[in-house]
Each structure stands twice: as C-alpha cells, then as structure tokens.
Amino acid sequence: MILVTGGCGYIGSHCAVELLKNNKDILIIDDLSNSDYQSIRNIKLISNKNVEFIHGDITDIDVLNDCFSQNNIESVFHFAGKKSISESYKDPLSYFSTNVKGTINLIESMQKYDVNNIIFSSSATVYGSDYPLPWKEDLILNMPHNPYAKSKLMSENILKSYLSTNQNFSIGILRYFNPIGFHSSGLLEDKVLGSSNLVPSIISYLLKNIQFLPVYGDNYDTKDGSGVRDYIHIIDLIEGHLKAYEYTKKNKGCFVWNLGSGEGFSVFEIIKKFEELLDMKFDLRVLPRREGDLAEYWADISKANRELNWYPEKDINNMVKNILAFFEIKKENN
Ligand code: WQD
C-alpha cells in the first residue's frame, strides 16, 4: 500500500486517482486544512475503487505512527504542505512547522516502520533567482528568499542527509514548475479556484466572480513585460510521479527531477490563448508586482526525459483547451 500525504489537495488528489488507476492500494492522510472530504468521495467515484482515509495532521507523529503500524505501507508520496508564497511571508513559522517538521516526522516514522521509499513534492522555487535559465537540477543552491521556498529546500536537504544513515532508502525529489489544468471529470479539487494563481484567476473572471483580470506587473525585463512561467499539465506532472516511483523502486539513492514543460510563456501570451479560443477580449488591469514574484523562469527537463523516459504530452494549447472544458463544467454547475 502507498501512503499519500495531502491526498485531498490539488496535486495529491490527481495523483491518488492515477495510482488507483494503476491498481495501487492507497491510504490518504490529510488534515483537510485546504481541502475537504468531498475529495475522497470524488476520488472513489472517478476510480470506482476504495480509498482508506485518515483525517490527521503530519505534525503529529503519533498519527503517522498509527498509519504505519496499522497498514502495510511500502512507499510514501508526500504532498502534505502549505503552498502559498505570499502567506509564507505573513506566517513563516507555520510553513516551517508543517513543511519541515512534517517531513521530519514522516522520515522518523518511516524509519521506525522500515519503509524505505519516498516521492517528495518539491518546487521550482528552491532555485531562488540567481541562476541562468533554463534551471537544471545539479545547480548548487543558495538559500532562496521566501519562507515557502526555504521550507522546501530545507526538506530536500533533510531527506538527503537522512539518506547517509540508511543505505536502503530511496528518494525521488520532484521540483514542480507551474502545474495547471484539471482531471477530465471536472470533479477534482474545487479549492484551487479560491487561490490567486493565474489560471484560477482566469476561471474566476470567466465565471464573473471577479470583474477584471489582474496582471501583476507589465514592466519586467521579459519578452513583453509580464511574468514568464513554465506551465505543466497536472496529468503530465502526475505521470512524472509514477515514473519517479518506478525508478526509485529500482535504484537506491536520492534523485532530483524537474517537472515542467521546458518552455516559458508570459502572462499576456497565456491570456491571448484564452481570448483567441473564446473569441473575446478580457478586461485587464495592470497592478503592481506581487511580493516575491520573479520575472521569468523555466525548466531544463532533459534529466527527466533521459532517466525517467518522461515527456509531457500536453502543450500550451491543449492545456488551455482542458481548462476551458473545466470552466464549461463549472459554469453549468454554477
Ligand atoms: C504566474 C504568473 C503572476 C495571477 C507558483 C505556485 C506557487 C509556488 C510557486 C509551487 C506570475 C501572474 C497571476 C493573476 C497575474 N508553488 N499573475 N495575474 O507565482 O509562479 O507560483 O509557483 O511550488 O504555489 O502557484 O504562479 O499562477 O500565481 O503566477 O498576472 O491573477 O501570473 O504575477 O507572473 P507563481 P501564479
């Protein structure tokens, strides 16, 4: 059985569905702080399979010990964590507590119950801002500025350090760029729409929940002045997890892979793709830059191509179409 921490959230729930599709038994632990029990019902509905669920917090090691002692767990997919850069500036301690202490608890509990395989949900933000593009996994990283990114890099380093005490351990660290898009059922993870990320903002605008679409900065040193990111479809991202899992089952050690598309698109370029497909003009408002935002970044994905035989299938046009299909489902349910 695979333990999926944070399995009710955006990435965790999509991963849970794919694991079940691949005939893996899973146990989800989630504190439902940024999701709700409906995720479990929907995961079951989509997969037509049973899912074990524990409502609990990974900062409580007793809860984790119970998970491992009462279930035959062979591997962990670790998604549980806080994920907002702006919130992490306001409440850094909770970021270190959940993201770092949670990871330490998990390692301790895995050690106690002799579980030796973990896939860790990391972030492109660990690269900070000092490196030439595209970013490669083997860069020696300085501590990034924002507390969220620090908590992810610290967790990576703790996992690597633990490895030297346990020769049987295997770690797959996945550095996500900007995951977007939705499961075709439209049933996974509504909470993402409440966030202020670009795609949720676009959907909120289309649903008329907001009157105009904010563009945070149009004077960056980029191709058109707006921020440039590497967007990767959620299903491609999850495929990377399954491949990383297979790889780490066969190879002992710590392995790091970027999961992105390898291409950068600006905010204006993304908006234009939506406008073209919808044949409409968006009401845009240029607002000041957000704290902590970088001008541009994208991934070098050749390591994941080579070692995992992982190639994202959906290009930016497919991603935008997928998002519009999700929007249609939401519009009908509105
Ligand atoms: C993308 C671009 C914005 C909203 C992501 C994750 C975050 C973290 C790091 C994972 C930027 C601009 C946005 C809007 C806009 N997680 N924008 N108008 O900041 O790259 O963060 O990666 O490790 O959790 O979300 O993503 O989608 O917020 O922003 O102009 O309404 O869109 O300024 O240039 P970001 P994003």
Side-chain angles (χ1 to χ4, degrees), residues 83-85 122-125 148 176-179 196-201 213-217 220 226-229 231 267 290 293-295 297:
K83 61 175 184 184
S84 158
I85 294 173
S122 191
S123 161
T125 57
Y148 163 76
Y176 309 152
F177 283 69
N178 284 53
S196 59
N197 297 121
L198 182 59
V199 167
S201 286
L213 185 64
V215 175
Y216 298 118
Y220 283 108
S226 65
V228 172
R229 295 290 183 273
Y231 297 92
V267 174
R290 295 186 309 195
D293 267 4
L294 298 184
Y297 56 87

Side-chain angles (χ1 to χ4, degrees), residues 26 32 39 63 128 184 193 218 235 237 288 294 303 309:
I26 62 170
L32 303 182
S39 280
V63 175
S184 54
L193 291 185
D218 68 349
I235 301 297
L237 185 92
L294 298 184
K303 188 164 183 274
N309 191 27

